[in-house]
Amino acid sequence: MSILRCIALSLSLAVLSSAALAQGKTAPKDAKLYFITPYDGAKVRGGFLVRFGLRNMGVTHAGDDYQNAGHHHLLIDVNDPIDPKEPIPQDKSHLHFGAGQTETFLELPPGTHTLQLVLGDAKHYPFDPPVVSDKITVRVRQPSQRGK
Amino acid sequence: MGEIRNFRSGNHDEPPPHGSMPRRLAAIIVGDIASYSRLMQADEEGTHLRVKRIERDLIQPSIIEHHGALVKTTGDGFIAIFDSPVEAVRCSIVIQQNLVGRNASLPKETRIEYRIGVNLGDVIVEPDDVYGDGVNIATRIEGIADPGQVYISGAIYEQIKHKVVCGYESLGDRKVKNITDPVRVYRVLPDADAVGKTRGRRENTLIFLLGVTLLVIASGVLWYLLAQPHGKGTEQAAAPTAAPVASPSPQSQPRDAAQAPQPSPSLAASSPSPSPSAIPVREPEMIAIRGGSFAMGSNDDATERPIHQVAIKPFSIGKYPVTVREWNECAAAKVCGFVAAGKDDAPISNVSWADARQYAAYLAEMTKKPYRLPSEAEWEYAARGGTQTKYWWGDKLQPGMAGCKDCGDLAAEQPAKVGSFKPNPFGLHDMGGGIDQWVEDCWHKTYQGAPADGSAWSSGDCTSHVLRSGSWKNDSRYVRPSNRDGYDTNVRYPTHGFRVALSP
């Protein structure tokens, strides 16, 4: 029995360590990432505040390698699936909040846009399983002073 | 056209065009397309369209930007007048450099190249034309200019010699058609690159000849030694044959002996130090950029607006982004935060703005030279290489010019080593694509309120700083010289690197 237990332990250790090597730090199963504002389907005019909600995990500075903590990334109009083996891209549609920010003021051109949050680890990799929010849609209307 | 006229009558204190013989002193630019007839013969409509496009996209805007007025365009050329000789010459340089970019991708026989002559003279200005001796002389000077060159008269030279930082080559007094007195003519060498090119050709020939001579001598010595009985011969023969290889000069230069933070001995080994007390620091290879003025920004993205005119003082900027090898010397000296693992020739990556700043400070301290990060305006000026096109090489994407996701073939290992792609007209590599590059400025969402003197914009919310160039992971929109983005100051990311600048 003890031998079996030893084997099981070493197996599970091996699995864990290989998971750690393949980037993608593990995240608690009940971690939940969500938008506090805006809500899905919201209609906004001009700039609007986006606030990020995270449950059962902590927000920290990028580069800080604490267990169960990460930093926010806001994906705007991104349709490509998240690649767990690559750092979350950095460009105008993947905004990074590596200083530990939990909200941002967004100005988007008029039209329909999708927003999604992805939590990244110290090195900007998604967690395993990825901690992502639902993808929400916002409709940005023409700024009032110019409309009609 | 109407816009230009308005500009002229609106901003200059000249009498209304219908007054009695309005005379004024003006710097006159005359431009003319070389081999226009041949181009027209080969492709009449195509050439006409291209010439019109150049006039609309390049010549007219450049003249307006430099506070001049387009007097008229002829089939194959144009005449413009300026209040300021300095602006006139700058405008000419801008036009010529832009054309270099536009022509870069075309076969030689279809290139549209202008000759440009600039003269200062008292002229009669009428709404649609300008008359006088001064115009005729400008035309004659233009006539003797080589395609792609700007020639100026002595009168212009006297006005600008200490103001426009360029090279000037005196061509002596030239007798020109139907003008009694000979005219002193100078050729303008617009930028460091152009000066380099003219010198480069001569030097290359010299180096080649030197190499051949040394080889002949070496083989002679070798033959002589081999013909001798065997013994000490072969060892000696090695010395002369090695000689021609010595031409690429080492990057490091002798240092001031006064300050002595000792770097680790392993660093000292790599480069030969001419004086025994010198502290060897590997300085990035720098390219001198002559000052000038340019239109910064574009209308392609909200962050790049508004387009605004910026004056740039002369400075130097790294020919390549800072490499892993260069960075690791700073890391070995325990100044930079981490030892990078990449290949020596790869650009340093995964650095924050604060890291980049630290490296520049280290370099400045070790060399006692004012090394720093470039300002955003300096970066864009250098990246454009004198062009106003979408990319420095033109308006269309071309393989081999930049490293990005959809720019053409990418090597398997990224970031690719520095200098893997073609240099821009200023001789700079990887100004667009390859690795993102931090600059000194704090991030602002638009250019509203940006400085116009080429300095870094350091006021406002500095929790994020500006990134330029785009990386191998971005698409081609990010490779444009005007593209900009902001990122948290103290956060490292795998595609972020930098290059250094140096004040003169």
Side-chain angles (χ1 to χ4, degrees):
Chain A
M1 275 309 272
S2 69
I3 294 169
L4 269 181
R5 226 177 273 157
C6 266
I7 290 172
L9 187 71
S10 57
L11 262 179
S12 64
L13 275 177
V15 165
L16 271 179
S17 62
S18 71
L21 277 178
Q23 287 303 335
K25 295 176 73 74
T26 54
K29 283 223 157 52
D30 55 355
K32 183 171 164 60
L33 188 56
Y34 60 100
F35 286 97
I36 302 170
T37 61
Y39 56 88
D40 190 16
K43 289 178 185 150
V44 295
R45 211 183 272 284
F48 58 102
L49 196 63
V50 183
R51 300 168 79 191
F52 323 141
L54 178 62
R55 212 174 290 153
N56 300 323
M57 276 187 85
V59 172
T60 184
H61 189 276
D64 289 347
D65 206 352
Y66 301 127
Q67 195 61 36
N68 292 348
H71 66 279
H72 290 294
H73 298 80
L74 177 59
L75 277 48
I76 304 164
D77 299 328
V78 172
N79 293 317
D80 300 333
I82 296 152
D83 185 347
K85 288 181 196 66
E86 287 289 320
I88 297 163
Q90 188 265 307
D91 55 38
K92 289 177 201 289
S93 46
H94 296 77
L95 307 186
H96 286 223
F97 298 92
Q101 302 95 319
T102 54
E103 60 176 52
T104 188
F105 189 75
L106 211 54
E107 283 165 290
L108 295 177
T112 306
H113 300 279
T114 64
L115 301 178
Q116 188 176 29
L117 289 169
V118 179
L119 201 68
D121 68 8
K123 292 180 168 161
H124 312 273
Y125 284 82
F127 284 84
D128 182 30
V131 179
V132 297
S133 74
D134 289 336
K135 194 184 267 189
I136 65 164
T137 303
V138 292
R139 255 179 66 195
V140 179
R141 290 195 268 184
Q142 293 284 349
S144 52
Q145 63 268 33
R146 273 205 216 150
K148 291 148 231 176
Chain B
M1 280 298 276
E3 197 186 331
I4 294 159
R5 294 257 169 65
N6 288 341
F7 186 89
R8 185 174 65 191
S9 47
N11 281 18
H12 301 273
D13 302 328
E14 63 172 353
H18 299 292
S20 59
M21 285 290 166
R23 293 199 75 103
R24 56 179 278 204
L25 186 67
I28 308 123
I29 295 188
V30 176
D32 186 52
I33 298 168
S35 326
Y36 183 67
S37 326
R38 181 174 52 74
L39 287 164
M40 282 302 262
Q41 209 168 23
D43 177 9
E44 208 169 69
E45 282 180 16
T47 304
H48 179 71
L49 266 174
R50 285 168 61 207
V51 171
K52 285 290 154 205
R53 199 175 306 145
I54 288 173
E55 285 175 356
R56 191 191 63 217
D57 295 349
L58 171 62
I59 293 175
Q60 294 185 2
S62 303
I63 291 170
I64 293 175
E65 269 162 28
H66 291 86
H67 313 291
L70 183 67
V71 175
K72 64 172 180 181
T73 58
T74 57
D76 59 343
F78 65 93
I79 297 180
I81 53 173
F82 292 74
D83 287 337
S84 148
V86 172
E87 293 289 2
V89 173
R90 278 193 187 142
C91 176
S92 311
I93 295 169
V94 165
I95 291 174
Q96 292 294 31
Q97 290 187 334
N98 262 287
L99 285 165
V100 170
R102 280 170 187 258
N103 282 330
S105 57
L106 298 172
K108 205 160 174 30
E109 62 279 4
T110 64
R111 292 182 183 173
I112 294 182
E113 289 183 303
Y114 279 79
R115 313 164 195 276
I116 293 184
V118 190
N119 183 35
L120 186 68
D122 196 310
V123 291
I124 301 164
V125 181
E126 287 197 354
D128 295 318
D129 213 341
V130 55
Y131 305 91
D133 216 23
V135 184
N136 300 340
I137 293 174
T139 313
R140 298 298 176 220
I141 294 174
E142 170 264 303
I144 57 175
D146 290 328
Q149 299 282 354
V150 178
Y151 281 22
I152 60 175
S153 67
I156 291 280
Y157 173 74
E158 291 304 324
Q159 290 299 318
I160 67 164
K161 58 184 172 185
H162 300 305
K163 300 196 184 85
V164 183
V165 190
C166 288
Y168 301 100
E169 185 185 349
S170 171
L171 303 175
D173 291 333
R174 293 288 190 94
K175 182 86 186 69
V176 293
K177 212 168 103 188
N178 296 337
I179 305 286
T180 352
D181 297 328
V183 179
R184 176 151 298 177
V185 180
Y186 292 83
R187 186 161 77 97
V188 180
L189 308 166
D191 55 53
D193 186 51
V195 180
K197 262 184 213 153
T198 51
R199 203 181 290 149
R201 237 170 276 141
R202 265 176 244 150
E203 262 173 16
N204 283 346
T205 334
L206 273 176
I207 288 171
F208 177 73
L209 285 176
L210 193 76
V212 168
T213 321
L214 282 171
L215 250 154
V216 167
I217 295 171
S219 51
V221 169
L222 196 71
W223 176 82
Y224 172 79
L225 286 169
L226 286 178
Q228 300 294 85
H230 236 47
K232 56 189 175 175
T234 42
E235 269 167 49
Q236 285 177 352
T241 41
V245 189
S247 53
S249 58
Q251 289 171 353
S252 82
Q253 286 161 17
R255 286 288 72 76
D256 203 3
Q259 32 96 32
Q262 263 326 108
S264 71
S266 64
L267 300 177
S270 58
S271 48
S273 38
S275 98
S277 57
I279 298 157
V281 184
R282 195 183 300 273
E283 282 184 68
E285 203 176 327
M286 303 297 281
I287 298 248
I289 305 292
R290 289 167 195 281
S293 154
F294 79 116
M296 184 172 177
S298 86
N299 287 321
D300 291 343
D301 191 273
T303 57
E304 297 161 25
R305 287 191 205 118
I307 300 178
H308 57 295
Q309 198 69 23
V310 177
I312 300 288
K313 296 181 195 76
F315 69 107
S316 300
I317 190 164
K319 184 175 181 183
Y320 311 103
V322 170
T323 62
V324 166
R325 185 192 286 122
E326 287 155 357
W327 171 270
N328 279 347
E329 289 192 3
C330 174
K334 303 263 183 292
V335 177
C336 290
F338 63 96
V339 178
K343 292 227 172 83
D344 275 354
D345 288 338
I348 180 66
S349 58
N350 206 25
V351 289
S352 68
W353 182 84
D355 290 331
R357 237 354 204 14
Q358 204 159 38
Y359 175 85
Y362 158 81
L363 205 58
E365 169 64 28
M366 295 302 276
T367 61
K368 298 289 173 214
K369 293 186 197 171
Y371 277 104
R372 56 183 173 81
L373 294 181
S375 74
E376 186 175 12
E378 286 172 338
W379 198 97
E380 182 168 330
Y381 181 74
R384 287 183 177 278
T387 69
Q388 282 302 151
T389 40
K390 188 169 182 183
Y391 310 102
W392 61 258
W393 59 85
D395 286 320
K396 294 231 175 70
L397 213 52
Q398 274 175 38
M401 298 301 198
C404 85
K405 213 164 62 178
D406 53 352
C407 286
D409 296 332
L410 269 188
E413 204 176 336
Q414 289 294 338
K417 67 175 191 179
V418 299
S420 297
F421 295 91
K422 285 198 180 140
N424 77 359
F426 283 177
L428 304 169
H429 292 265
D430 309 314
M431 294 297 275
I435 194 101
D436 288 300
Q437 292 159 38
W438 289 109
V439 294
E440 179 65 24
D441 303 46
C442 302
W443 171 247
H444 297 80
K445 279 182 176 171
T446 70
Y447 286 132
Q448 212 65 250
D453 61 355
S455 62
W457 194 2
S458 302
S459 61
D461 167 30
C462 287
T463 54
S464 31
H465 279 81
V466 178
L467 279 171
R468 288 303 200 118
S469 175
S471 78
W472 78 95
K473 289 209 168 195
N474 295 131
D475 62 49
S476 56
R477 287 172 300 165
Y478 293 79
V479 166
R480 294 175 302 106
S482 57
N483 173 65
R484 57 198 297 268
D485 208 348
Y487 198 79
D488 286 310
T489 304
N490 293 311
V491 178
R492 293 174 180 153
Y493 186 79
T495 66
H496 297 172
F498 66 102
R499 71 177 72 212
V500 289
L502 183 61
S503 303

